Amino acid sequence: MSNMRKDSYTFYKLVRCKYSCVLCFSELFFIKEPLDVTVMRKEAAILDCQAHGEAPIDVKWLKSGVQIAENERVYLLSNGSLFISEVESRRGDKSDEGFYQCLAQNKYGAILSQKAHLTIASISSFSVQPTSIVATEGSVARFSCKTVAHPPPIITWEFNRVTLPLATERITVLPSGVLQIQAVQQADAGNYRCVATNIASRRRSTEATLTVTPGPRPQLPQRPRIIASPQNISVSLHQTAILECMATGNPRPIISWSRADSKPIDVYNTKVLGNGNLIITDIKPQHGGVYLCRATTPGTRNYTMASANVTVLAPPSLVEWPESLTRPRAGTARFVCHAEGNPTPRITWLKNGEKVHSNGRIKMYNSKLVINQIIPEDDAIYQCQAENEQGSVLTMARLIVVMSEDRPSAPRNIRADTVSSSAILLAWERPLYNSDKVIAYSVHYMKAEGLNNEEYQIVIGNDTTRYIIDDLEPAHNYTFYVVAYMPMGASRMSDNVFQHTLEDVPLRAPELSLTSRSPTDIQVSWQPLPDKLSRGRVCSYRLSYRTSSDSAVSQIELPGEKTQHLLENLQPDTIYLLRIVAATSVGWGEQSAWTSHRTPKASGAQVPLAPELHLESLNCTTILVHWQLAPRNSANVRGYKLFYHEESQPESTPVQFHASDNKHTIGGLDPRKKYHVKILAYNVVGDGYQADQTISTPGCVSVRDRLVPPPPPPHNVYAKTNSSTTVFLHWSRPAFTSSHAVNYTVRCNPVGLQNASLVLYLQTSEQRLLVRDLEPNTKYEFAVRLHLDQLSSPWSPVVYQNTFPKAPTQPPSNIKVTLIEEDTALVSWKLPDELNVPVTRYTILYASRNDWIAGEWQVMEREGTITMALLENLKPGQIYFVKVSASNDMGDGPFSHAVELTVREGLPLGHDIRVSRGSTTFSDNFYHLDQKSMTGISVGVCIALICIIICAFIIICRGKNRYLVSLSVVTMSHINSIHFYLYRAKSQQQLSQDIKTNRRNFLSALQNTRLDAASYQHGTTVLTYEEELSSNQPTNLQTLLGHPGDTEGSSNSEGSHATGDSGRYSHDETELTNLSSGPSSHLASPTAHTYPVKQKLYKHVKQEKKQNRLVA
């Protein structure tokens, strides 16, 4: 406990004392308590202790619970502190190292201080020595060392016997004893050693050599790889946590940190040391969690990750204190104490400085101390001590017992007579004094043998003085007493009386264990029945056996002391049925069910003998199976086969184990059921001899069975994902006190699981568990239940957690590369052929043959929802190699095999010619409009509309006959530019000449892939037209302007690192079909439509002349 926490705690006690209903000086408390101290051997040490209360106060000191005897070297000071003149560090009890407590006592009671640990400074030899390594130039090097020391040592490193600085641009020394060297140089080659120093001594490790070899020239690109990942750690409150993360790659990767729960990292207490190691100082509970280290290649999205869980350990802190109570005699007092910490604190109750044990009147559960039937001796000071591995804290309360003057005297002449094996008749006489004030009696009884037995109480009316207790166990001694009650209190307890119940026949038969050591024998063994089942002393057993095909039964009677018997001269390879029954002096009990066992075959082949099988019921739903081969079993065992099934149910398929396994936990069983378990070893020859055994699961004891509540379920259950196959679980033990061992069952299954046999049950005695071998990217549900002395709690509330997805292990499939323009190719692919693996990113590498030989790849990346990309700026006459990989947050998958693409020198057959950059682009009926083209189109349309409106206005207003035909023709494809042209009609001959001239210009423009509105010149005619025009279609202005339903479209391509791609390229098949099938989706071939164009143009001009004459 820190000094600040001690001062606040002392202040609390002073304030509580001031305002308590109990007199201040009767509530003894400490002003100073001893603190943890570390001293050198032969130095002096002082442990403080000052108590306050009504004098006189006697102070004593305890070491590990035993009172310290004063001598010349160890004695008490006048203020109660303990002084040790010379600290000794000898082995065993003679060492001064250990836990110390101060005990203060006055006439009202005694109190015990918190524990203080005296540690003798020391430093041990290195448990981890640095090892020699070989590193290439430009890579990284790492050395580590580890030692145990008190206080913790300062770690430094020496290079060729010269101390290295703790941190430089390339060298980092972690306080945990790790030396990191980045960008290794030839000058770094040499000998390194670790130096650990504290107040006790200094130690140097053995030397390790760093050998530096020349690196390859040029250095090839390498993906990031973490060579020293962070480890799961537990750190005490206010200490420093070190998460190491060291990565290599070319170029040098950048290391970043984040939390798996997406919470921000505390920037005030966190810093990065060296090239990526995370240091958390003054750690607090909110710093606990899973941290992710990410190593990323600069300028790319290539990265790899590692994770570690940080558990913050905290000493106990009280959140609920017991209050002092005043209670009458025979009343009930309840003290409550609740503490928090990590690990969960253990609660211990003290009475006048000594540990309280449960008995009939005093019970401890759920962090409560309950005292029934209070007697004057219960008047004392009670302390609640909360303790875990990080420390301890105590609080106290006083119980004052008030005596009533007119209470009745105790009931008299208590008698107990045995009625049967489970019933005893209890009788008594009324109290001698004030019996007329008695309103009820309470009968108390408990087992007379053993410790921590439960006391049971029955309340009856005042109209009787006898009662039959009929729920007792056979062949047991019991103790009884009676208390008389009045409205204002109760009498003293009556005298205790002892009586025993009679024996009865055994309630059940023993469980059999069967093995064969030869083809002609069966070794039969069993465990003695517990007292609850034997209901007396077992005096004999009767063993019956027969073959499965014979109805004749053989019987053998055995004395009650025996627990095994060897049946000999049996038939090989034969199924035998066996059962057993036990007897007491009263008679025979119930026989067991038939248990089957097959004797081995009579063969010369050497197979393994039967293992020794042991079964143990951990709780009402779980069995622990142990097995061990006999020492004389010399066969080469390859593994084991375990069979188990419920009685009268078919045998299950075997569970196989490796030869090194020797135990297995069977969970998810039904309470109060009998199970048959069989195990055998096998080798290359075949299956060995089998061992059979039966076991019954106990009942899950309820409140009615034990008259005590079942333990509450574990609380604060939380789950954190560690990797794609592991989840870390942690929970808190419910607040109750018990001397029995506590174990837990963890239930784990995927959400929505239909097959109950696939539910996983795991056993542990700790409050944390790393669940392994889970499926990646799967949502699981977890629940925990507690088991205590055959009591099982309900299941805790279910918590859900998803495992991380695993990194892809397969490359994308069905990779295709198609040349769609003279310097552009389309690469497409499909998802990798593996289930339940998400893809968040694709990486495309492509290079020409020359670049591939030089190791220079162009890199592109696409989101996981996109499965195609454009490769632009390809050089004609080159052969390109393309490969693709899939990645997600857990890492990168492998690249596919390289796909070759040949870019020919000339125009590819069947491909349209590509317009130069900055205008509309045609390719296999696809088109792309850039921003400049769209702007030009918009401006052109506006200008054309304004001109048409002005011309129409002038014609109407002036009404003049002018032969002026202004014709603007717009040719629109699905994603083509819209071009407007004016047609000027002159003489027939000039018009014909212009058509011929502009036809050649039009063909030339198509061949040069430049359709630009800027090609129009004054006095010339430029013609654009639809591909298909029916003969009866009207050739008016609307027809020449195009169909009103024509639309524009564009597609973008996402940016890349090396290609200049600037958007996303869609490959929706439906959209492509619509593009290719639209009425304006194809640009007409100039060679195929030359003659029809001429005819349509003459026809159009004649109609326009005729219309203009009519208008004039």
Side-chain angles (χ1 to χ4, degrees):
M1 183 186 295
S2 64
N3 292 333
M4 182 179 296
R5 187 153 61 100
K6 272 193 163 302
D7 294 341
S8 62
Y9 183 59
T10 302
F11 174 76
Y12 157 77
K13 289 191 289 188
L14 288 170
V15 173
R16 199 183 85 162
C17 176
K18 181 176 180 180
Y19 296 100
S20 175
C21 63
V22 184
L23 290 178
C24 177
F25 290 106
S26 68
E27 192 167 347
L28 186 66
F29 61 91
F30 288 106
I31 298 176
K32 280 188 177 182
E33 293 185 71
L35 300 174
D36 293 343
V37 61
T38 301
V39 296
M40 294 283 294
R41 182 176 176 273
K42 296 297 182 181
E43 285 188 352
I46 297 179
L47 297 171
D48 292 325
C49 178
Q50 292 185 27
H52 189 276
E54 185 173 337
I57 299 175
D58 183 32
V59 176
K60 299 177 183 178
W61 280 88
L62 308 178
K63 180 190 174 187
S64 301
V66 179
Q67 184 174 343
I68 297 175
E70 296 187 55
N71 53 46
E72 296 180 354
R73 190 177 61 85
V74 181
Y75 54 88
L76 269 66
L77 300 179
S78 58
N79 63 355
S81 299
L82 181 68
F83 180 75
I84 305 175
S85 59
E86 289 185 1
V87 174
E88 295 289 347
S89 61
R90 290 175 291 180
R91 294 184 179 179
D93 298 336
K94 296 182 179 180
S95 174
D96 292 324
E97 195 169 29
F99 288 96
Y100 290 80
Q101 284 179 289
C102 170
L103 178 68
Q105 185 174 10
N106 63 6
K107 66 178 184 179
Y108 296 104
I111 57 175
L112 200 62
S113 73
Q114 70 171 15
K115 292 181 179 180
H117 191 262
L118 187 149
T119 305
I120 299 175
S122 63
I123 183 168
S124 64
S125 57
F126 285 94
S127 58
V128 176
Q129 298 275 7
T131 57
S132 299
I133 58 175
V134 178
T136 59
E137 197 171 0
S139 64
V140 297
R142 179 182 181 273
F143 296 98
S144 64
C145 67
K146 186 175 182 180
T147 184
V148 178
H150 300 284
I154 297 174
I155 303 293
T156 58
W157 285 84
E158 293 181 353
F159 172 53
N160 292 335
R161 306 295 176 92
V162 177
T163 302
L164 286 170
L166 292 179
T168 65
E169 183 179 354
R170 295 189 306 107
I171 298 177
T172 303
V173 177
L174 299 183
S176 57
V178 174
L179 172 65
Q180 299 175 344
I181 305 175
Q182 304 284 342
V184 172
Q185 303 173 0
Q186 287 291 344
D188 296 328
N191 297 322
Y192 293 82
R193 68 178 179 181
C194 171
V195 181
T197 307
N198 69 358
I199 61 174
S201 180
R202 171 179 295 178
R203 285 189 179 272
R204 291 180 173 85
S205 70
T206 58
E207 289 189 337
T209 303
L210 172 61
T211 304
V212 180
T213 60
R217 292 291 186 269
Q219 291 188 354
L220 299 177
Q222 291 182 353
R223 288 185 174 274
R225 181 171 60 90
I226 295 177
I227 61 174
S229 59
Q231 302 296 315
N232 293 342
I233 57 172
S234 298
V235 186
S236 299
L237 194 69
H238 304 301
Q239 299 301 311
T240 299
I242 302 170
L243 295 175
E244 182 186 7
C245 189
M246 190 177 185
T248 182
N250 186 30
R252 179 178 172 182
I254 298 172
I255 294 179
S256 59
W257 287 89
S258 62
R259 289 177 59 113
D261 54 10
S262 301
K263 293 181 180 179
I265 292 180
D266 182 8
V267 297
Y268 297 102
N269 296 90
T270 304
K271 64 179 180 179
V272 176
L273 184 61
N275 191 45
N277 307 289
L278 192 68
I279 309 295
I280 308 174
T281 59
D282 190 22
I283 198 165
K284 297 178 178 62
Q286 60 265 27
H287 291 138
V290 177
Y291 287 78
L292 304 176
C293 166
R294 174 169 169 162
T296 308
T297 301
T300 71
R301 294 185 180 178
N302 294 331
Y303 65 89
T304 185
M305 297 180 66
S307 62
N309 183 64
V310 175
T311 302
V312 180
L313 304 178
S317 60
L318 294 170
V319 295
E320 191 172 4
W321 295 265
E323 295 292 336
S324 295
L325 301 174
T326 300
R327 292 290 183 270
R329 180 192 180 98
T332 300
R334 291 180 176 84
F335 295 104
V336 179
C337 179
H338 184 53
E340 292 181 347
N342 191 14
T344 303
R346 301 177 297 276
I347 301 296
T348 304
W349 287 94
L350 306 174
K351 174 186 176 183
N352 288 337
E354 296 182 357
K355 188 175 180 179
V356 176
H357 296 281
S358 294
N359 56 36
R361 294 189 309 109
I362 301 175
K363 298 181 177 65
M364 291 176 287
Y365 56 90
N366 294 345
S367 297
K368 296 183 179 68
L369 173 64
V370 181
I371 305 174
N372 296 308
Q373 294 298 314
I374 294 174
I375 59 177
E377 289 75 13
D378 294 329
D379 191 319
I381 299 176
Y382 293 85
Q383 287 180 284
C384 168
Q385 177 177 269
E387 184 178 16
N388 64 10
E389 289 75 7
Q390 300 298 305
S392 64
V393 63
L394 291 97
T395 184
M396 68 176 187
R398 170 106 185 266
L399 174 60
I400 299 176
V401 180
V402 178
M403 309 294 289
S404 175
E405 295 181 358
D406 58 348
R407 68 183 185 277
S409 58
R412 300 173 296 155
N413 300 329
I414 304 297
R415 301 179 305 277
D417 296 318
T418 300
V419 177
S420 67
S421 61
S422 61
I424 290 178
L425 172 63
L426 190 67
W428 63 92
E429 294 181 4
R430 293 181 180 274
L432 185 61
Y433 304 106
N434 296 324
S435 60
D436 57 329
K437 297 181 179 181
V438 174
I439 60 174
Y441 294 98
S442 64
V443 176
H444 301 257
Y445 64 97
M446 61 184 295
K447 288 181 180 178
E449 296 94 355
L451 298 175
N452 296 329
N453 292 320
E454 297 288 342
E455 181 180 286
Y456 302 92
Q457 177 180 354
I458 302 172
V459 179
I460 59 177
N462 64 352
D463 56 345
T464 183
T465 56
R466 57 173 49 206
Y467 188 79
I468 295 178
I469 300 99
D470 58 359
D471 59 348
L472 306 178
E473 295 181 11
H476 277 84
N477 285 327
Y478 284 87
T479 178
F480 304 86
Y481 69 90
V482 182
V483 176
Y485 279 86
M486 67 177 206
M488 298 302 295
S491 70
R492 293 178 180 268
M493 295 185 303
S494 68
D495 295 333
N496 282 279
V497 61
F498 295 87
Q499 188 59 278
H500 67 277
T501 54
L502 299 176
E503 287 188 347
D504 204 341
V505 297
L507 187 63
R508 200 170 67 193
E511 308 285 358
L512 290 179
S513 177
L514 309 174
T515 60
S516 289
R517 301 185 180 182
S518 73
T520 59
D521 66 34
I522 297 177
Q523 177 71 43
V524 185
S525 59
W526 59 92
Q527 293 293 329
L529 288 172
D531 292 342
K532 288 183 180 180
L533 300 179
S534 65
R535 304 205 286 188
R537 188 184 69 86
V538 175
C539 58
S540 61
Y541 294 99
R542 181 185 294 158
L543 179 64
S544 305
Y545 66 97
R546 65 181 176 87
T547 63
S548 60
S549 59
D550 191 0
S551 59
V553 178
S554 301
Q555 293 184 344
I556 303 174
E557 287 201 14
L558 304 169
E561 296 78 20
K562 293 200 67 175
T563 58
Q564 61 181 4
H565 180 72
L566 181 64
L567 296 176
E568 299 179 298
N569 301 320
L570 304 179
Q571 302 175 18
D573 195 20
T574 303
I575 297 178
Y576 281 86
L577 302 179
L578 300 95
R579 68 182 180 185
I580 195 171
V581 62
T584 63
S585 59
V586 180
W588 293 98
E590 181 184 355
Q591 293 192 104
S592 67
W594 289 106
T595 301
S596 64
H597 179 81
R598 180 186 290 272
T599 54
K601 296 179 181 180
S603 173
Q606 188 176 13
V607 295
L609 298 178
E612 296 179 4
L613 179 62
H614 301 280
L615 303 180
E616 177 185 356
S617 293
L618 294 181
N619 50 65
C620 59
T621 61
T622 309
I623 296 174
L624 180 62
V625 183
H626 283 274
W627 63 88
Q628 185 177 2
L629 280 176
R632 62 192 182 94
N633 192 352
S634 58
N636 187 16
V637 174
R638 302 186 64 183
Y640 298 94
K641 294 180 182 179
L642 175 68
F643 305 80
Y644 67 93
H645 63 94
E646 185 182 338
E647 188 178 40
S648 74
Q649 296 294 326
E651 191 171 74
S652 62
T653 58
V655 182
Q656 295 197 3
F657 300 94
H658 298 292
S660 58
D661 297 330
N662 61 358
K663 65 179 179 179
H664 177 65
T665 301
I666 304 175
L669 306 178
D670 293 330
R672 301 184 185 275
K673 296 289 185 180
K674 181 173 289 188
Y675 287 87
H676 294 269
V677 181
K678 178 176 70 176
I679 193 169
L680 57 86
Y682 64 91
N683 59 10
V684 293
V685 178
D687 293 343
Y689 297 176
Q690 65 186 33
D692 296 87
Q693 190 171 341
T694 57
I695 187 171
S696 297
T697 54
C700 294
V701 182
S702 63
V703 178
R704 183 177 61 256
D705 297 328
R706 290 286 298 272
L707 297 181
V708 294
H715 56 89
N716 296 334
V717 181
Y718 68 91
K720 294 182 180 179
T721 304
N722 255 24
S723 67
S724 59
T725 59
T726 59
V727 171
F728 178 76
L729 287 179
H730 186 276
W731 57 89
S732 298
R733 172 177 167 171
F736 67 89
T737 302
S738 174
S739 59
H740 297 282
V742 175
N743 56 69
Y744 303 91
T745 298
V746 176
R747 188 186 72 206
C748 166
N749 60 272
V751 174
L753 182 67
Q754 299 297 326
N755 188 353
S757 64
L758 298 180
V759 178
L760 183 64
Y761 295 91
L762 303 172
Q763 305 295 322
T764 180
S765 59
E766 303 293 331
Q767 291 171 220
R768 57 176 59 89
L769 180 67
L770 185 65
V771 185
R772 306 176 185 272
D773 301 327
L774 303 179
E775 292 295 327
N777 199 30
T778 303
K779 187 175 184 179
Y780 282 87
E781 63 178 42
F782 301 90
V784 186
R785 78 187 308 178
L786 177 147
H787 307 287
L788 171 69
D789 188 28
Q790 299 302 320
L791 285 170
S792 295
S793 74
W795 288 104
S796 68
V798 175
V799 296
Y800 299 92
Q801 190 69 15
N802 279 80
T803 53
F804 289 145
K806 68 176 182 179
T809 58
Q810 299 290 333
S813 61
N814 199 22
I815 297 174
K816 296 180 180 179
V817 183
T818 306
L819 190 67
I820 60 174
E821 299 179 19
E822 62 180 355
D823 65 345
T824 304
L826 176 67
V827 54
S828 63
W829 59 88
K830 293 184 179 179
L831 288 169
D833 295 330
E834 50 186 338
L835 298 176
N836 214 19
V837 178
V839 177
T840 59
R841 186 182 72 260
Y842 291 101
T843 302
I844 305 100
L845 299 183
Y846 67 100
S848 63
R849 183 182 294 275
N850 295 334
D851 293 339
W852 172 71
I853 294 174
E856 299 176 357
W857 290 88
Q858 298 281 355
V859 183
M860 299 175 63
E861 290 188 351
R862 291 292 179 270
E863 293 183 1
T865 56
I866 300 172
T867 56
M868 61 167 42
L870 285 178
L871 309 181
E872 297 183 323
N873 300 326
L874 304 180
K875 298 177 182 179
Q878 294 283 344
I879 296 177
Y880 283 85
F881 298 95
V882 183
K883 54 184 180 179
V884 187
S885 75
S887 306
N888 58 25
D889 292 339
M890 300 308 297
D892 302 324
F895 277 96
S896 64
H897 295 296
V899 178
E900 291 189 15
L901 171 67
T902 302
V903 181
R904 291 188 288 271
E905 291 283 357
L907 178 66
L909 183 60
H911 288 68
D912 290 335
I913 301 173
R914 182 172 182 260
V915 182
S916 63
R917 215 174 270 279
S919 62
T920 307
T921 302
F922 300 86
S923 168
D924 283 348
N925 299 326
F926 297 97
Y927 59 89
H928 312 279
L929 294 178
D930 57 19
Q931 187 173 1
K932 293 182 179 179
S933 298
M934 293 297 297
T935 303
I937 291 171
S938 302
V939 174
V941 170
C942 293
I943 295 175
L945 291 176
I946 292 172
C947 291
I948 293 173
I949 294 172
I950 292 174
C951 291
F953 180 78
I954 294 174
I955 292 173
I956 294 172
C957 292
R958 296 187 179 182
K960 295 182 179 181
N961 289 332
R962 294 187 178 179
Y963 180 71
L964 179 62
V965 178
S966 298
L967 181 61
S968 176
V969 180
V970 178
T971 301
M972 294 182 66
S973 294
H974 187 62
I975 53 173
N976 252 346
S977 303
I978 303 175
H979 301 277
F980 293 85
Y981 302 94
L982 297 176
Y983 289 86
R984 178 175 298 172
K986 298 182 181 180
S987 64
Q988 185 70 22
Q989 295 80 4
Q990 185 177 355
L991 180 60
S992 177
Q993 183 66 28
D994 290 342
I995 288 175
K996 294 179 180 180
T997 303
N998 286 289
R999 185 182 120 200
R1000 290 192 298 269
N1001 295 338
F1002 179 77
L1003 294 176
S1004 177
L1006 283 178
Q1007 291 173 358
N1008 293 325
T1009 66
R1010 297 187 57 85
L1011 294 175
D1012 201 311
S1015 63
Y1016 167 74
Q1017 296 179 1
H1018 181 70
T1020 63
T1021 301
V1022 179
L1023 177 65
T1024 62
Y1025 59 94
E1026 300 274 348
E1027 179 180 1
E1028 296 179 3
L1029 291 174
S1030 61
S1031 59
N1032 57 357
Q1033 185 176 356
T1035 57
N1036 51 23
L1037 184 60
Q1038 292 180 355
T1039 303
L1040 293 176
L1041 287 174
H1043 295 288
D1046 291 344
T1047 58
E1048 295 180 3
S1050 64
S1051 61
N1052 297 328
S1053 177
E1054 187 179 329
S1056 66
H1057 301 300
T1059 64
D1061 218 5
S1062 60
R1064 291 182 182 168
Y1065 189 89
S1066 172
H1067 67 299
D1068 194 312
E1069 293 181 359
T1070 305
E1071 182 181 353
L1072 299 183
T1073 304
N1074 294 336
L1075 288 176
S1076 61
S1077 61
S1080 304
S1081 63
H1082 294 278
L1083 181 64
S1085 172
T1087 58
H1089 296 278
T1090 302
Y1091 182 70
V1093 166
K1094 197 176 213 181
Q1095 288 181 335
K1096 294 174 184 177
L1097 183 60
Y1098 282 130
K1099 185 177 180 181
H1100 170 71
V1101 172
K1102 288 179 181 180
Q1103 290 177 354
E1104 290 294 332
K1105 285 182 179 181
K1106 185 176 179 179
Q1107 291 176 1
N1108 289 337
R1109 291 193 189 100
L1110 292 176
V1111 172

